[in-house]
Amino acid sequence: MKALTAPMGWNSWDCYGAAVTEDVVRKNADFMAANLKKYGWEYIVVDIQWSEPAAKNHEYTPFTELCMDEYSRLIPAPNRFPSSADGKGFAPLAEYVHSLGLKFGIHIMRGLPRQAVHRNTPIKGTDKTAAQIAKTASICSWNTDMYGVDASKEGAREYYDSIFELYASWGVDFIKCDDIARELPHEESELIMLSDALKGCGRDMILSLSPGPALLEKSELYKRTANMWRITDDFWDKWELLYNMFERAEKWCTHTGAGHWPDADMLPIGPILQDYDKNNRTAFTKDEQITMMTLWSIFRSPLIIGGEMTGFDDFTMGLLTNESVLAMHRNARHSHQVWRKEINGTEHILWTASCQEGGTYMAIFNAGDKDSEISVPLTDLEIYGGARLTELWSGETQNCPEEAAVKLNSHGAKAYLITV
């Protein structure tokens, strides 16, 4: 799939970890269709461990039993996804999501199930077995479900062809493949084989690679094989992680473009960590959430909601439905950091991008611990002779002959469309 703009959707991980259920997915799909679809949000993605009957929270059960078909392929656990019973897989759930005008995605782990290797089960399309194609020295450091697949072995490509044939038959539109983005270069051949199998399955699917941090020196490989790839490890609602994202975004900004999107990870907003406590909500302040959404949008990261959507308040909805900010996410081109410096004793960061529809975007961030008032020379953006600024979050306008006067809360941000 080309993914001409950075994907926008929802993923179950931040809310439910490994333990999401079908009813929760359907309720969130209903909410997105009713409230967010018209703003461009479209993907509903079931994250990790959907084949595990006993999954309870964000923690993994070592060497747990998984649901698997006769060809070594994982299938949904019917106790958690009842519509998958009798061999239907995710087809009924995908059909429901599609009926709402949305798209459906799933998480997978690189490789094939260890239990398939230990039982030496068949691989569809070949006389080889799981044990014959496994790369048993290639394991995930944080999850015990899978062995890698040895791309040099006969039957390896047939395995990947078979799983994407299955996913295509279910109607999957988005694949988040884990334990692969930062595993290069020693798992490079498996990534290429996986990507080729996906492209040959006969159905358009977004391919997202996790976890990060991705390797900057492998940027061209990511572009060739995938649509998006994580530039960070799991991103949570901590200011220090958001602060660190500025450096990551600066390094990766030249690699954003139609079809390939460096991914700053999910937006941990609204109710999160619901599998531990239903009262859990994001620890980000409102200003930090505006900073996050502004940076993700001007950088053009994929926008993947992490919170339980049915529990969103008016502020959270405002973050996700601001048409001017979402237009920046869609229309920004050549995004980059202009400078990062201390002004009046507080660290500030300036980003800019050209707007495809005309004008220039400017985003200014206060990374310090106190509120600030600063002036940004328009010449820093190579704009001479004055301009009109429209602040995207508030809609306020100002005419600036030479400098833009900006008031910023601590950890806050403002974004502007500048026209001359």
Side-chain angles (χ1 to χ4, degrees), residues 341-348 368-370:
K341 59 187 177 182
E342 186 175 299
I343 302 174
N344 300 328
T346 298
E347 183 180 18
H348 292 80
D369 294 329
K370 62 181 181 179

Side-chain angles (χ1 to χ4, degrees), residues 161-374:
D161 284 342
S162 77
I163 64 170
F164 286 112
E165 175 188 55
L166 181 64
Y167 304 154
S169 74
W170 289 346
V172 173
D173 307 296
F174 185 111
I175 296 289
K176 175 184 175 181
C177 184
D178 218 332
D179 190 40
I180 201 163
R182 69 183 179 206
E183 300 306 312
L184 306 182
H186 56 283
E187 305 302 349
E188 188 169 318
S189 60
E190 187 170 3
L191 170 59
I192 294 170
M193 179 173 59
L194 180 154
S195 175
D196 288 345
L198 182 151
K199 292 173 183 176
C201 77
R203 183 176 179 84
D204 284 340
M205 299 182 196
I206 294 290
L207 179 57
S208 168
L209 307 181
S210 287
L215 308 178
L216 194 60
E217 66 271 21
K218 292 294 182 178
S219 58
E220 296 306 315
L221 176 64
Y222 297 132
K223 292 178 191 178
R224 178 161 61 91
T225 55
N227 301 108
M228 48 190 278
W229 55 91
R230 285 261 299 277
I231 62 173
T232 178
D233 205 337
D234 283 5
F235 177 79
W236 285 105
D237 49 338
K238 299 178 181 179
W239 167 249
E240 57 268 27
L241 297 180
L242 179 52
Y243 180 80
N244 290 340
M245 196 63 70
F246 285 98
E247 181 180 356
R248 297 182 188 279
E250 181 190 11
K251 290 178 179 178
W252 281 100
C253 64
T254 59
H255 297 287
T256 62
H260 45 85
W261 308 101
D263 178 15
D265 202 13
M266 287 176 275
L267 303 166
I269 56 177
I272 58 174
L273 297 168
Q274 296 292 283
D275 51 338
Y276 292 124
D277 185 344
K278 294 296 183 184
N279 295 315
N280 283 334
R281 297 188 71 88
T282 183
F284 278 141
T285 66
K286 290 182 178 180
D287 285 302
E288 289 166 351
Q289 292 176 69
I290 288 171
T291 287
M292 175 176 60
M293 192 69 179
T294 301
L295 178 60
W296 268 235
S297 295
I298 196 167
F299 171 56
R300 296 195 291 169
S301 170
L303 298 177
I304 307 297
I305 298 165
E308 167 56 64
M309 291 188 285
T310 64
F312 283 173
D313 57 18
D314 290 344
F315 174 80
T316 308
M317 288 300 297
L319 280 177
L320 303 176
T321 60
N322 184 299
E323 294 184 90
S324 297
V325 173
L326 294 175
M328 178 171 68
H329 180 253
R330 184 172 60 251
N331 294 325
R333 299 292 185 271
H334 316 299
S335 307
H336 62 279
Q337 180 179 297
V338 179
W339 47 248
R340 182 172 186 167
K341 59 187 177 182
E342 186 175 299
I343 302 174
N344 300 328
T346 298
E347 183 180 18
H348 292 80
I349 304 168
L350 179 67
W351 274 67
T352 192
S354 61
C355 175
Q356 181 186 353
E357 297 179 346
T360 300
Y361 288 116
M362 176 180 79
I364 181 73
F365 304 90
N366 178 351
D369 294 329
K370 62 181 181 179
D371 299 348
S372 64
E373 296 185 27
I374 65 170

Side-chain angles (χ1 to χ4, degrees), residues 6 9 53 80 86 123 138 158 188 320 330 361 383 399 403:
R80 293 171 52 202
D86 302 320
I123 301 298
S138 176
E158 285 83 356
E188 188 169 318
L320 303 176
R330 184 172 60 251
Y361 288 116
I383 296 174
N399 293 316
E403 296 184 337

Side-chain angles (χ1 to χ4, degrees), residues 112 133-139 147-151 186-187 189-190:
L112 78 169
I133 67 170
K135 190 175 182 181
T136 55
S138 176
I139 59 175
Y147 287 127
V149 173
D150 189 338
H186 56 283
E187 305 302 349
S189 60
E190 187 170 3

